[in-house]
Amino acid sequence: MSKLRTVTVTVNGVAYEKAVEPRLLLADFLRQTLGLTGTHVGCEHGVCGACTVLVDGDSMRSCLLFAVQLDGSRIETVEGLGGIGRLNPLQEAFREHHALQCGFCTPGMLMTVTDLISKYPLATDDEIRAGLSGNLCRCTGYEHIVRAVRAAVGRIQEQAP
Ligand code: FES
Ligand code: FES
């Protein structure tokens, strides 16, 4: 075993300080060390997007980062968006528009869209599709996901002051 290193991060608003192996991936840190299994691991080499989380507000592949690289960072995972009985507008739109089947891709989709919505207008379906092009879904054919994102964008704009 290699020498442990201490990593201090904030995940969904909770501060953690953990001793980890330098080779531990962020995805495994979240899932195994912190028990936040909402972040899914599919391809493990940066292709599928299932492991997407927000790091200091930017969406990133947690399978391509080592936990020690994130020392001092603010991380948000799907668990931080909402939960049963308190879905956020994006999650609610996914539920209403049947934007998932097996749900494996969904955490990564939600985190990618959370990042996109915070930065870009996503005014057209083409923009939504381009934004989602790094997240693979083998079930839905994407149409319902695009509908859900369109609905969420509309709802968030309505609620904006
Ligand atoms: S598991 Fe990270 S991109 Fe597929
Ligand atoms: S809902 Fe199954 S992979 Fe997207």
Side-chain angles (χ1 to χ4, degrees):
M1 183 194 291
S2 50
K3 198 172 172 200
L4 298 181
R5 298 251 305 267
T6 300
V7 59
T8 304
V9 291
T10 302
V11 183
N12 303 328
V14 179
Y16 296 92
E17 183 176 293
K18 297 284 181 184
V20 300
E21 287 195 45
R23 65 177 181 169
L24 183 69
L25 295 173
L26 175 60
D28 294 331
F29 175 75
L30 294 170
R31 290 177 54 83
Q32 295 166 17
T33 307
L34 302 187
L36 296 170
T37 54
T39 298
H40 290 169
V41 177
C43 66
E44 291 188 276
H45 59 272
V47 174
C48 73
C51 66
T52 302
V53 298
L54 301 188
V55 176
D56 296 328
D58 295 322
S59 57
M60 295 192 187
R61 312 292 214 215
S62 61
C63 73
L64 296 182
L65 293 164
F66 293 113
V68 292
Q69 291 176 277
L70 281 295
D71 191 36
S73 298
R74 175 174 50 88
I75 300 165
E76 290 160 67
T77 71
V78 70
E79 287 92 343
L81 297 184
I84 295 169
R86 53 179 184 88
L87 300 180
N88 79 4
L90 179 60
Q91 292 171 307
E92 190 61 42
F94 266 59
R95 188 188 67 79
E96 283 176 7
H97 292 272
H98 310 291
L100 62 146
Q101 289 181 32
C102 78
F104 193 84
C105 70
T106 310
M109 290 280 183
L110 291 171
M111 299 317 289
T112 296
V113 175
T114 297
D115 182 21
L116 290 171
I117 285 176
S118 74
K119 294 174 181 164
Y120 305 104
L122 296 185
T124 68
D125 283 6
D126 282 348
E127 288 171 350
I128 294 171
R129 288 180 185 280
L132 291 174
S133 60
N135 289 72
L136 304 184
C137 175
R138 55 195 171 176
C139 304
T140 64
Y142 300 95
E143 186 56 38
H144 290 254
I145 296 174
V146 173
R147 275 185 220 165
V149 175
R150 193 193 308 142
V153 168
R155 194 168 302 166
I156 290 166
Q157 284 171 347
E158 281 170 17
Q159 292 172 356

